[in-house]
Amino acid sequence: MIVKMSAHATATEVDAIEAKLRDLGYGVGKMIGSQVTLLGVYGDIFKLPQDDIAQMPGVERLIPISRAYKRAAQKGDALNPIHSPVSIGPVTVGGDELTVIAGPCSVESESQIMESARMVKEAGAKCLRGGVVKYRSSPYSGWEGLGSDDQDSLRRGLELIVKAGNAFEMPTVVEILDPTDVPVYEDSGVACLQVGEPNSKNQALLNRLRDTPLPVIHKRGNSLDTEAYLLWVERVMALGKENVILCERGIASCNKYTRNTLDLGSVAAFHYQLSGLPVAVDASHGTGVRDLVFPLSLAGIVSGASVVLVEAHPNPLIAKSDGFQGLFPEQLRGLVRAAEEVWRTRRTNEREYVTTAALERDYEGRMQDDRKRFFGES
Ligand code: PEP
Ligand code: MN
């Protein structure tokens, strides 16, 4: 919320508003222009007695700036942002620990997903991923996943990945395409539902996911700007669901070299400014280039992600989907090791991160003196 003072407001009136807001527990940032003064109000705006403030002498009007996506938005204030963790089975995501979720693009057979689970566990990742129904652009690809025929095949496919996850004590993350399949996923023992990029704004699916107790990883559509994406995420959360994880997996751009353009600026914006939800980075789909998955996953952690979602296969050269971007087991091991180190470094260096809100007040207090020193203004 911004309190806009009238052009004739006196310094005493501005001070009175500031004092009142601070008394009420709000943070205040002041912008003194040549014509008007604006007061930025930080805190829980829903509790602000807006009418009382609006009627105080010198106030022209209150300008709301709270975000349209209220539940997905960052809670707390600019100085004390709150990041809420989400549980994927026994694994806490978005807390103090980094979470690597790894596995093949698709579940292809019992032995393939079992070997994949072993590979993921041995690499040190915490959750197993794998698609049982695949969303394919081409109707002629010949592979839409083990579970694509009907709900029975879906059930059997989900059983395979849950069995593999249980065998290696890892919760599982599986993409869901159809809202009518939610009970099948819930009954299967899958720990987390993934909304894939093509369904990022599938209204029927997102509405249905409001009711599931399972956590949801909601991937960003490749042509959704940050605000539109967070509004689609808000749709899942609109009735009170809280266990949602954001995922940046690349957006459309002029770049032809990589499959998508991993938008690391948005990863930082989601984590540091816009949202309190955990942020995942998926450099597999974000680059579509196996040898770029390592550097871009690490860059995602530095940028603000606490979850790395990554495709890997016991032999990606024979994978039925996305093999070109799937890591070899050795590469997955290296990535998990490096990711943990980068995570520790980020957490240490975050102590050096000072927000503008923390400094603004001091510098506002110096504006008159500094103008005099630098520009000779009185
Ligand atoms: C996937 O995770 O396998 C997948 C298809 O991802 P996306 O929806 O981001 O393309
Ligand atoms: Mn894939």
Side-chain angles (χ1 to χ4, degrees):
M1 181 72 74
I2 289 183
V3 180
K4 184 177 182 204
M5 304 301 294
S6 77
H8 310 294
T10 63
T12 316
E13 286 168 345
V14 174
D15 289 349
I17 308 284
E18 184 176 355
K20 167 92 177 169
L21 290 167
R22 290 197 188 281
D23 271 0
L24 290 167
Y26 290 93
V28 182
K30 213 173 352 175
M31 267 183 60
I32 306 168
S34 54
Q35 299 291 319
V36 289
T37 295
L38 301 175
L39 297 168
V41 187
Y42 306 110
D44 185 353
I45 296 306
F46 294 112
K47 297 199 182 120
L48 183 72
Q50 296 193 21
D51 290 345
D52 294 357
I53 305 287
Q55 278 158 26
M56 287 178 73
V59 174
E60 185 181 301
R61 67 192 164 97
L62 268 56
I63 306 169
I65 52 162
S66 64
R67 304 190 191 281
Y69 45 90
K70 298 187 188 332
R71 294 176 191 272
Q74 199 173 72
K75 308 288 185 307
D77 60 43
L79 294 180
N80 297 298
I82 297 169
H83 290 105
S84 314
V86 168
S87 298
I88 299 185
V91 175
T92 303
V93 172
D96 292 335
E97 309 244 332
L98 174 77
T99 308
V100 179
I101 302 171
C105 181
S106 345
V107 177
E108 298 163 345
S109 68
E110 180 159 1
S111 56
Q112 174 260 7
I113 194 62
M114 219 28 119
E115 256 192 62
S116 299
R118 178 187 303 280
M119 165 192 73
V120 169
K121 186 72 178 188
E122 283 176 1
K126 292 186 193 144
C127 305
L128 175 67
R129 64 144 285 152
V132 174
V133 187
K134 299 306 298 181
Y135 197 114
R136 306 310 300 268
S137 316
S138 167
Y140 309 117
S141 74
W143 175 248
E144 296 186 4
L146 280 181
S148 61
D149 287 344
D150 51 29
Q151 284 199 339
D152 275 345
S153 65
L154 175 63
R155 214 168 271 120
R156 287 195 299 273
L158 292 172
E159 258 168 34
L160 295 184
I161 186 167
V162 170
K163 188 172 164 192
N166 288 342
F168 292 92
E169 296 180 333
M170 284 181 296
T172 47
V173 177
V174 185
E175 179 171 351
I176 181 163
L177 271 59
D178 188 326
T180 61
D181 290 338
V182 171
V184 182
Y185 281 75
E186 286 173 347
D187 293 347
S188 71
V190 158
C192 177
L193 303 178
Q194 173 181 306
V195 174
E197 185 282 329
N199 284 308
S200 193
K201 51 179 183 171
N202 177 334
Q203 190 154 319
L205 177 62
L206 301 178
N207 285 349
R208 177 64 183 83
L209 293 178
R210 291 166 168 174
D211 294 332
T212 183
L214 293 178
V216 170
I217 295 185
H218 187 154
K219 289 191 170 194
R220 177 184 178 186
N222 73 353
S223 57
L224 291 178
D225 68 46
T226 51
E227 165 115 11
Y229 168 49
L230 290 172
L231 279 168
W232 286 107
V233 171
E234 183 79 9
R235 174 170 291 278
V236 181
M237 304 179 76
L239 301 184
K241 183 174 178 61
E242 291 182 335
N243 48 353
V244 177
I245 299 163
L246 304 180
C247 180
E248 167 57 37
R249 47 74 72 206
I251 55 171
S253 83
C254 61
N255 178 24
K256 297 275 188 289
Y257 185 71
T258 54
R259 183 176 181 179
N260 292 289
T261 295
L262 196 66
D263 182 5
L264 293 176
S266 288
V267 171
F270 293 143
H271 177 67
Y272 287 104
Q273 301 192 306
L274 302 180
S275 180
L277 301 174
V279 183
V281 65
D282 171 357
S284 301
H285 298 87
T287 65
V289 181
R290 186 182 295 124
D291 286 351
L292 297 182
V293 171
F294 180 94
L296 268 294
S297 297
L298 301 186
I301 298 170
V302 174
S303 304
S306 56
V307 182
V308 170
L309 187 59
V310 60
E311 287 188 350
H313 192 286
N315 186 349
L317 302 182
I318 57 163
K320 288 185 187 281
S321 59
D322 285 354
F324 52 86
Q325 69 192 23
L327 298 187
F328 290 95
E330 292 80 351
Q331 294 173 318
L332 179 64
R333 276 203 295 276
L335 174 62
V336 176
R337 269 199 301 268
E340 279 166 358
E341 187 162 335
V342 170
W343 173 252
R344 283 191 291 274
T345 306
R346 178 182 128 202
R347 300 281 287 171
T348 307
N349 287 324
E350 238 162 24
R351 293 183 207 131
E352 305 294 339
Y353 177 72
V354 185
T355 60
T356 300
L359 299 171
E360 232 164 22
R361 241 184 114 217
D362 273 1
Y363 280 82
E364 278 160 7
R366 298 184 208 170
M367 280 165 66
Q368 238 173 345
D369 281 354
D370 285 350
R371 279 206 182 99
K372 209 179 292 171
R373 283 193 306 131
F374 301 151
F375 316 125
E377 291 173 10
S378 57

